[in-house]
Amino acid sequence: MLILATQSYVTDASVAAAQQAFHQSTKIPHSFPLDGGLPLAWHDFSGDSWSDLVAHQASTGNIYIYPFSGSFNGTATLGAPVLVVAGATDVNWMGVGEVTGDFNPDLIVRKTDGTLWVYPGTGKLAVTGTFDPPIEIGTGWNSLSTLIVGDIAGNGYDGLAGRQSNGNLVVYPHTGEFDQFNTLAPPELIGTGWNIMRWIGDADIASDSETGFPDIVAVDNSGNLDIYPYSGAYSGTTTYTGPIQIGTGWNIIKQLTLMDVTHDNLVDIIGTNSGGQLLVYRYSGGFNGTSTFTGPTVIGTGWDTMDLIA
């Protein structure tokens, strides 16, 4: 069963109205609720405290939310998909975070023209109204070959990080206000030589879950899964230490994302393989080399139609 939401992708009128509504900045409170090092609430679109999976279909551009069923139970883990954005064929990256300041999960997307947009979450997963109309917050983002959402700057707000064409890893800290093109601060360098990575994500894996500071999780071009632990201070190129290798053979995984699938307040890895299977690698609960993640467990099939997950 496919549940259809009536929200269209973008109309000039809806965008203009939304941007006018947010022309005056929205100050965002500190103290976002972190859980297990990943702001798990930012993935809960249905309001049931379970993380939900977002997927973009390559052929149609449709974006679906797959609510979790309430039980980690193989292919029954995911509920029926809800179509929340239709026809977004020009989206080439998406992520989930909380950037608008209302404690609801937002969808952040990059279009092929390099513009960056936020779909503000309404706090409900419904036939209509999962997201308010999109707000443009940036241009020129095609210069970054990979993007991640998270509070890497440690200021209590979800910003973005990305890899530049020269291999530099940079952070765009959230300014503390949701104010269109003033939402994100200019980039700050935190690493070099990151062009050896094919995928980069962030979650608290190593040792500081009580603070919620994210570590960098990455798959390099050889298929190694590496952790770059947070050093304890946001301090340029010394923000992260490592890498520490925790897995091999990850080049068989196509799309990857991080969230708590098993509802144990620990961050798991979700990925798709070339056979179209959706896989979960469970976090063992301890940072322990190649035993850090276990599995995989198959929770879905037919996912080769999806080119993005978040």
Side-chain angles (χ1 to χ4, degrees):
M1 178 179 67
L2 181 66
I3 303 172
L4 300 180
T6 59
Q7 176 165 342
S8 61
Y9 179 34
V10 172
T11 66
D12 291 341
S14 65
V15 170
Q19 290 184 339
Q20 178 64 30
F22 282 95
H23 180 69
Q24 292 185 334
S25 63
T26 301
K27 290 186 180 295
I28 299 177
H30 273 280
S31 65
F32 289 154
L34 296 175
D35 203 353
L38 185 73
L40 303 179
W42 302 166
H43 282 270
D44 177 21
F45 292 93
S46 56
D48 60 0
S49 80
W50 282 78
S51 298
D52 305 313
L53 184 62
V54 187
H56 178 270
Q57 190 173 51
S59 60
T60 64
N62 292 343
I63 298 176
Y64 300 93
I65 291 178
Y66 289 77
F68 278 85
S69 65
S71 174
F72 182 61
N73 185 25
T75 56
T77 300
L78 295 173
V82 179
L83 175 62
V84 293
V85 178
T89 55
D90 57 351
V91 168
N92 61 11
W93 173 85
M94 65 181 188
V96 174
E98 210 299 283
V99 297
T100 58
D102 60 2
F103 297 106
N104 293 319
D106 307 311
L107 182 66
I108 304 99
V109 305
R110 181 184 61 187
K111 295 186 185 181
T112 52
D113 63 2
T115 55
L116 194 67
W117 297 74
V118 173
Y119 284 81
T122 61
K124 61 182 180 179
L125 180 61
V127 174
T128 60
T130 301
F131 296 111
D132 286 330
I135 308 293
E136 185 177 2
I137 64 169
T139 60
W141 285 78
N142 270 346
S143 63
L144 301 170
S145 55
T146 188
L147 292 169
I148 55 178
V149 183
D151 180 21
I152 291 176
N155 62 4
Y157 311 114
D158 274 348
L160 269 71
R163 180 184 59 199
Q164 298 174 328
S165 58
N166 60 2
N168 288 345
L169 189 64
V170 295
V171 171
Y172 295 78
H174 199 299
T175 61
E177 297 184 3
F178 182 54
D179 185 18
Q180 290 184 251
F181 297 104
N182 297 317
T183 301
L184 298 174
E188 301 172 356
L189 181 67
I190 62 167
T192 60
W194 284 77
N195 44 11
I196 65 170
M197 300 298 175
R198 58 175 291 264
W199 176 81
I200 303 171
D202 66 312
D204 181 20
I205 302 296
S207 61
D208 58 353
S209 60
E210 71 277 3
T211 64
F213 288 121
D215 309 304
I216 296 293
V217 186
V219 176
D220 65 28
N221 293 329
S222 298
N224 296 322
L225 181 66
D226 300 316
I227 296 288
Y228 291 78
Y230 187 75
S231 67
Y234 179 64
S235 55
T237 56
T238 62
T239 301
Y240 290 98
T241 63
I244 300 171
Q245 184 176 315
I246 62 169
T248 59
W250 283 76
N251 44 6
I252 66 171
I253 305 298
K254 296 173 61 179
Q255 307 298 327
L256 286 162
T257 192
L258 294 157
M259 66 176 66
D260 177 19
V261 179
T262 54
H263 207 52
D264 57 3
N265 293 335
L266 300 172
V267 179
D268 310 304
I269 300 177
I270 300 180
T272 62
N273 62 18
S274 58
Q277 292 177 316
L278 185 67
L279 308 172
V280 172
Y281 294 81
R282 297 186 66 169
Y283 183 38
S284 65
F287 183 52
N288 186 26
T290 56
S291 299
T292 301
F293 290 95
T294 64
T297 301
V298 178
I299 64 168
T301 59
W303 280 74
D304 47 338
T305 63
M306 302 297 180
D307 63 341
L308 302 170
I309 60 174

